[in-house]
Amino acid sequence: MDTAEIRRRFVSHFEAAGHTAVPSASLLADDPNLLFVPAGMVPFKPYFLGQETPPYTRATSVQKCVRTPDIEDVGKTTRHGTFFEMCGNFSFGDYFKEGAIELAWDLITKPVADGGFGLDESRLYPSVLIGDDEAVGFWRKVTGLPDERIVRLGRKENYWSMGVPGPGGPCSEILYDRGPAWGPDFDPATLGPDMPVALEDRLLEFWNLVFMQDELSAVRSKEDFDIAGSLPKKNIDTGMGLDRVAFLLQGKQNMYEIDVMFPVIERAMELSGKKYGANHEDDVRFRVVADHVRSSMMLIGDGVTPGNEGRGYVLRRLLRRAVRSMRLLGYDDRALPELMPVSRDKMAETYSDLSRDWDRIARVAYAEEDAFRKTLQAGTQIFDLAAQEVRSSGETRLSGAKAFALHDTYGFPIDLTLEMASEAGLSVDEDGFRGLMAEQRQRAKDDARSKKGQHADTGVYRGILDEHGPTEWLAYETLQTESKALALLSGGAPATVLAQGDIGELVLDRTPFYAESGGQVADAGTIEFDGGRLEVLDVQRPVRGLVVHQVRVVDGEFHPGSRLLAQVDPEWRTGARQAHSGTHVVHAALREVLGPSALQSGSYNRPGYLRLDFGWTTGLSEQQVRDLETVSNNALRADLPVGWQYMTLPEAKEWGAIALFGETYDDSKVRVVEIGGPWSRELCGGTHVEHSSQIGTIVITGESSVGSGNRRIEALTGVEGFGYLARERDVVAQLTGLLKTQPDDLVGRVGDLVERLRQAEKEIEKARVGQLLAAAGQLAASAVDVNGVQVVAHRADGAGGGDVRTLALDVRGRLPQGAPGAVVIIGAADGKVSVVAAVNDLARERGVSANDLVRAVGPLVGGKGGGKDDVAQGGGTDTSRIDEALAAAVATVSNA
Ligand code: ATP
Ligand code: MG
């Protein structure tokens, strides 16, 4: 029974029982806690959590799933794919244990002729959670099986929860005994509480029925949690692995051999010349190829692009592992263009988007393979050398320094090094590697800090913090504070005075200044003291809690201790707020235009300007950039409210706030800034406008690449944005003035001008060639007799290759007919030398060859060339010996 038929039977079985068929959601979960959808219940989560009311009480689906933790199992067990499809039926407060058991058992045991799967009852073993006697009762009632056939398993196997307080419940896994070839004999009555690993491939779990009945108040681990009580409404969530049932019903050994996967293995066999089934190591590689090619195709289909973090990194890893497995099978050419279309042909029967989006999918996948091939080429040699060194010194461990060098210099991700090392029988000093990575990060940070002109090491700041406590930081509340100076540094050391013009670092008891963070630059402003004024150049937080102002004395002599008035430049702050809110708007707009996989990877904003980097492999089209600008400005016009609130990180995620990968949020409470409610929610500590219209305008001024897999958007906000547009209007005004035309006609006018210029250039060119050829008659007349050959050897300064050739051929045609003749012209233009020799038939009979002439000239002009006997051509870069070269040509004729 092919996979498509199993899917159809599953869905119609549950539709017949009153379930609404719901199409698969995207693999990209609408849930910041999940990289990908790992189970069929995910799209129904709001119903299970009671956050939304389901429009039905019974539903069924076949959901695309990706489970990254299973990546290491692929090909080694018979049953784990990174991508697979989960068939499920769901009851929201409708039927419960008995109904779920009945529906499942009926489908799997019903004869094939009657629309079921026809599995042999004697091989089926239902399992329950130890103590779930209710489930045992229903299993016995529905199946008629004796008590000892029902396997009792512990919480590890048979209790489900989401890992957080909320719903949970016991499960019943349905197991299929594949027979003694797949594992030792067992006694079902005494199995458990854990499923022995040796039995996992024999007693195959293919369906899991979750009986959601408990309310959990605390979850400490999978097996350690507190049940607070019963759920008011009990639910059913089940998951049947389509791929697993397929290999059972198709009589295959494992999921990689089913109808929709095996063709990729067949193609890989053809390419590699290796046979599947010949040895275990190669078999695992074939299966990895089949699995990863399919998974990466499905991920790209849903909008993931390769990158160095999060989803992009998973995809990159899958693609790279597929390519490397092909290499290990002995196939070194580009593999994905051969394999992925095979997978597409199978999967597109169900997921027709794959065909529609094929160009994009193929482009993304193939480009990643090409990039990886380059990396591999360089890195593999280095790795092999390093491995050899390790072995010859009698060791078995690759140093952290080597692994780091592979990463730093050759872009080898650590997991690739780990894999290659384990294949070479070596281990890797991972701790050493991580230590070096951390050092590098620290160096980069220090570097960035020292560039800001701060010399004190953090010890000094720690000391200040210990003595005075954290700065009272009022940037959100006010632009002006009365403050006291707590510490003054000059050149990184404590100081008691700063003279006029001096620069130092000042710590206040309280400050309204925003310290640079989260991409927003520090505030500018002044600090007034009795008898003078400081200008604030920079504000940083070198250690948590301590705000340090870099200041220059503008007026007077500064002694700490006096009362101060710290004032943020309000204009500056307005600009900074506009730019920072603008960054959030552009980010949200970007995700609207490109889809939710466009995720910010970095940002920077200062008054009037913002820039946002995001993970994306291809350049944006002009249309996309225009759409981005339109969506952004529509959001300003809609005057969306901007607000923020504090919450815990899990709460923020639950709320859909975007927490950027790689950022650490170590506060117990995070700040979520939202614009237009859920339209834009980001974790952010920046200063913002109150309404989106206060941003004024957003003008996109650039879209460019910043390293592999990242693009950058640049934009101007507020007055700067208007200024930019005004300048453009000025340019247009000047042009219309110059061209004496209206703005609407400008493009046409300039087009005309360019066309006329092109025509004029053509005319000039024609005239120049005419002049050149006019010289040809004179040149022919100046031929000298060299051993009976009429020779013209001429230097044409200012003539390029094409002109030289035209001239040489023309002169040859004008030499006296009936006499041997040879022409050599050497032109020099823009530091380049062009040589053309042309010889007529009679001269050739005398042994004069154009090819010989050019070869004789070549070395003298610092180049080479050649051709046939009648016409030959060459060139060089040395213009200093052209006359000598002409003489050499003449000598060659005379020696012929
Ligand atoms: P296993 O212990 O075999 O990894 P599981 O307990 O992780 O399975 P569930 O989370 O209960 O599986 O998922 C429900 C069903 O989805 C499983 O019964 C199985 O049929 C299928 N399934 C789970 N993981 C995979 C996978 N990596 N590849 C293919 N099918 C899977
Ligand atoms: Mg699993």
Side-chain angles (χ1 to χ4, degrees):
M1 194 182 299
D2 65 21
T3 308
E5 180 61 20
I6 300 171
R7 184 199 327 270
R8 260 194 300 277
R9 286 181 182 216
F10 187 94
V11 174
S12 51
H13 174 72
F14 284 100
E15 274 187 320
H19 294 67
T20 301
V22 178
S24 173
S26 157
L27 280 168
L28 308 190
D30 192 12
D31 181 337
N33 292 306
L34 295 172
L35 278 187
F36 303 115
V37 170
M41 63 81 64
V42 171
F44 300 101
K45 230 164 107 175
Y47 306 150
F48 287 127
L49 293 174
Q51 296 163 334
E52 284 175 38
T53 314
Y56 29 63
T57 55
R58 300 176 175 205
T60 181
S61 70
V62 181
Q63 173 65 42
K64 298 186 269 190
C65 296
V66 163
R67 286 194 181 180
T68 45
D70 288 347
I71 191 166
E72 299 293 344
D73 286 332
V74 170
K76 295 179 186 157
T77 71
T78 63
R79 63 188 202 283
H80 287 108
T82 46
F83 173 88
F84 64 98
E85 291 165 276
M86 195 184 284
C87 305
N89 57 290
F90 309 93
S91 155
F92 309 103
D94 190 344
Y95 62 82
F96 197 50
K97 284 184 197 178
E98 184 173 12
I101 290 171
E102 231 166 32
L103 284 163
W105 190 256
D106 183 33
L107 176 63
I108 59 181
T109 56
K110 196 158 53 175
V112 172
D114 300 339
F117 295 154
L119 288 176
D120 177 358
E121 282 190 26
S122 70
R123 296 206 172 223
L124 291 170
Y125 292 81
S127 73
V128 298
L129 177 71
I130 295 168
D132 188 2
D133 297 334
E134 197 184 17
V136 174
F138 290 131
W139 276 113
R140 295 195 52 189
K141 178 174 164 206
V142 170
T143 67
L145 291 175
D147 186 75
E148 62 273 14
R149 275 287 293 283
I150 295 162
V151 177
R152 269 74 162 181
L153 296 175
R155 285 180 162 189
K156 179 159 161 254
E157 316 286 349
N158 271 352
Y159 195 91
W160 175 90
S161 81
M162 297 206 284
V164 291
C171 313
S172 268
E173 292 179 344
I174 309 180
L175 316 170
Y176 183 92
D177 179 14
R178 299 167 74 199
W182 293 100
D185 286 338
F186 61 93
D187 174 5
T190 57
L191 255 186
D194 291 349
M195 174 67 88
V197 176
L199 270 177
E200 283 182 338
D201 270 338
R202 172 170 181 169
L203 258 187
L204 180 79
E205 172 208 337
F206 66 93
W207 200 339
N208 189 3
L209 316 181
V210 179
F211 309 129
M212 236 180 265
Q213 63 183 33
D214 303 327
E215 177 77 46
L216 305 184
S217 55
V219 180
R220 288 170 294 275
S221 77
K222 187 142 188 4
E223 292 168 76
D224 181 15
F225 47 81
D226 300 332
I227 298 175
S230 303
L231 284 175
K233 266 173 66 179
K234 299 188 186 359
N235 300 315
I236 288 293
D237 152 32
T238 87
M240 183 194 88
L242 178 61
D243 313 70
R244 290 194 185 173
V245 171
F247 81 79
L248 288 180
L249 294 183
Q250 292 172 16
K252 300 295 183 202
Q253 310 267 321
N254 55 57
M255 69 172 274
Y256 323 99
E257 295 176 13
I258 63 176
D259 56 334
V260 291
M261 295 190 76
F262 197 61
V264 175
I265 293 186
E266 286 178 313
R267 184 76 189 111
M269 275 197 271
E270 285 168 17
L271 294 172
S272 64
K274 292 257 167 72
K275 274 210 86 58
Y276 179 67
N279 72 66
H280 177 70
E281 273 189 356
D282 281 350
D283 286 355
V284 170
R285 290 172 185 147
F286 276 117
R287 294 174 198 144
V288 165
V289 168
D291 174 83
H292 289 12
V293 164
R294 178 168 82 149
S295 307
S296 43
M297 174 180 74
M298 299 305 292
L299 287 175
I300 300 171
D302 277 354
V304 184
T305 50
N308 285 332
E309 277 150 5
R311 291 172 173 153
Y313 186 64
V314 172
L315 172 60
R316 171 159 285 167
R317 193 157 172 231
L318 289 169
L319 285 167
R320 290 183 166 196
R321 273 172 54 110
V323 170
R324 244 177 60 74
S325 298
M326 284 303 285
R327 292 202 150 211
L328 294 172
L329 286 167
Y331 184 74
D332 284 344
D333 282 342
R334 291 173 89 207
L336 296 178
E338 302 294 331
L339 298 168
M340 206 171 265
V342 178
S343 187
R344 171 204 60 197
D345 289 347
K346 283 288 147 196
M347 297 306 291
E349 288 167 12
T350 306
Y351 301 102
S352 56
D353 282 3
L354 293 173
S355 305
R356 216 193 45 222
D357 278 355
W358 182 245
D359 287 347
R360 177 183 62 80
I361 296 170
R363 200 163 4 97
V364 171
Y366 302 168
E368 178 66 12
E369 173 168 23
D370 291 343
F372 182 50
R373 284 164 59 85
K374 286 199 198 116
T375 304
L376 266 182
Q377 227 168 14
T380 305
Q381 282 173 357
I382 307 295
F383 176 86
D384 289 346
L385 271 177
Q388 229 168 30
E389 251 171 55
V390 172
R391 269 196 230 96
S392 61
S393 64
E395 297 197 25
T396 58
R397 188 174 163 94
L398 194 72
S399 71
K402 268 277 161 4
F404 179 73
L406 276 164
H407 170 88
D408 202 39
T409 318
Y410 301 98
F412 255 48
I414 182 68
D415 54 56
L416 185 59
T417 304
L418 288 174
E419 252 171 58
M420 287 176 66
S422 100
E423 279 158 15
L426 299 176
S427 64
V428 178
D429 175 11
E430 267 187 83
D431 287 343
F433 169 80
R434 293 194 199 290
L436 288 167
M437 285 293 285
E439 270 177 36
Q440 189 193 41
R441 268 195 296 273
Q442 191 55 45
R443 266 199 306 279
K445 265 194 209 157
D446 293 349
D447 208 34
R449 195 171 298 139
S450 73
K451 282 207 186 89
K452 294 191 182 310
Q454 301 196 342
H455 306 292
D457 69 33
T458 53
V460 176
Y461 301 124
R462 288 232 151 273
I464 299 173
L465 183 65
D466 288 346
E467 190 180 338
H468 299 285
T471 312
E472 190 184 343
W473 188 62
L474 299 166
Y476 296 149
E477 284 89 30
T478 176
L479 293 178
Q480 184 170 325
T481 57
E482 280 200 20
S483 305
K484 221 168 67 197
L486 299 179
L488 179 67
L489 301 175
S490 169
T496 50
V497 62
L498 287 183
Q500 188 164 352
D502 280 358
I503 291 178
E505 291 170 73
L506 178 62
V507 176
L508 305 175
D509 59 343
R510 54 217 303 257
T511 182
F513 280 88
Y514 183 81
E516 174 177 350
S517 74
Q520 180 178 335
V521 294
D523 276 334
T526 56
I527 299 173
E528 282 171 23
F529 59 93
D530 225 356
R533 195 160 53 95
L534 306 171
E535 179 190 1
V536 175
L537 306 174
D538 191 14
V539 189
Q540 295 287 329
R541 230 178 316 197
V543 291
R544 267 181 84 73
L546 191 76
V547 178
V548 178
H549 310 74
Q550 192 186 41
V551 294
R552 183 176 53 213
V553 185
V554 185
D555 282 322
E557 193 179 71
F558 177 63
H559 300 266
S562 53
R563 294 220 54 90
L564 310 170
L565 184 65
Q567 276 177 304
V568 176
D569 175 350
E571 288 273 319
W572 175 281
R573 173 63 79 73
T574 301
R577 290 162 70 201
Q578 289 174 323
H580 202 152
S581 299
T583 309
H584 288 215
V585 166
V586 171
H587 191 200
L590 196 61
R591 291 156 62 75
E592 202 170 310
V593 173
L594 300 180
S597 61
L599 209 59
Q600 180 179 319
S601 55
S603 73
Y604 168 80
N605 52 79
R606 58 172 149 76
Y609 171 86
L610 69 89
R611 118 188 142 210
L612 182 141
D613 298 344
F614 62 103
W616 203 253
T617 51
T618 52
L620 304 196
S621 67
E622 263 177 48
Q623 184 60 47
Q624 284 171 320
V625 174
R626 218 169 310 140
D627 289 348
L628 179 62
E629 200 173 54
T630 307
V631 173
S632 301
N633 283 293
N634 284 346
L636 306 201
R637 201 161 319 133
D639 199 21
L640 305 171
V642 182
W644 54 83
Q645 37 187 307
Y646 291 89
M647 52 186 80
T648 64
L649 188 56
E651 280 166 351
K653 287 181 171 173
E654 191 61 46
W655 225 41
I658 298 175
L660 298 172
F661 293 117
E663 300 242 332
T664 47
Y665 301 98
D666 39 7
D667 272 314
S668 58
K669 289 274 184 184
V670 295
R671 181 173 183 256
V672 176
V673 173
E674 62 171 10
I675 301 179
W679 187 67
S680 163
R681 278 183 180 148
E682 296 195 27
L683 265 57
C684 176
T687 59
H688 288 272
V689 298
E690 282 135 14
H691 281 267
S692 61
S693 61
Q694 291 168 343
I695 297 168
T697 187
I698 292 178
V699 180
I700 311 265
T701 55
E703 193 276 330
S704 57
S705 160
V706 273
S708 102
N710 272 297
R711 309 290 305 177
R712 169 170 295 173
I713 295 286
E714 288 174 280
L716 298 176
T717 51
V719 184
E720 294 286 334
F722 286 117
Y724 178 90
L725 295 177
R727 279 193 299 281
E728 281 202 335
R729 196 181 52 186
D730 265 359
V731 171
V732 170
Q734 286 177 33
L735 284 177
T736 48
L738 266 174
L739 297 172
K740 307 213 179 337
T741 181
Q742 294 305 308
D744 284 347
D745 300 332
L746 199 54
V747 173
R749 269 306 290 279
V750 172
D752 281 353
L753 278 178
V754 169
E755 180 54 29
R756 272 163 57 193
L757 195 64
R758 209 176 283 137
Q759 285 296 341
E761 278 170 352
K762 265 194 203 152
E763 297 287 326
I764 292 171
E765 175 67 9
K766 243 208 254 145
R768 207 174 50 79
V769 173
Q771 249 173 11
L772 198 68
L773 295 184
Q778 260 177 323
L779 275 178
S782 73
V784 294
D785 186 299
V786 177
N787 285 348
V789 182
Q790 297 296 310
V791 177
V792 174
H794 176 67
R795 168 179 187 146
D797 285 328
D803 290 346
V804 171
R805 189 179 170 90
T806 312
L807 187 59
L809 295 177
D810 201 57
V811 172
R812 184 181 65 175
R814 291 173 192 245
L815 286 176
Q817 300 285 308
V823 181
V824 179
I825 311 275
I826 304 184
D830 303 329
K832 270 202 205 123
V833 181
S834 312
V835 183
V836 176
V839 172
N840 70 12
D841 291 350
L842 286 170
R844 280 209 322 265
E845 281 165 23
R846 299 270 297 260
V848 180
S849 148
N851 184 36
D852 291 348
L853 294 176
V854 169
R855 280 168 185 277
V857 167
L860 293 166
V861 295
K864 54 180 186 231
K868 299 217 191 103
D869 283 348
D870 57 345
V871 181
Q873 189 162 345
T877 51
D878 184 358
T879 54
S880 68
R881 294 168 75 190
I882 291 179
D883 293 333
E884 229 177 292
L886 287 169
V890 176
T892 307
V893 176
S894 82
N895 292 336

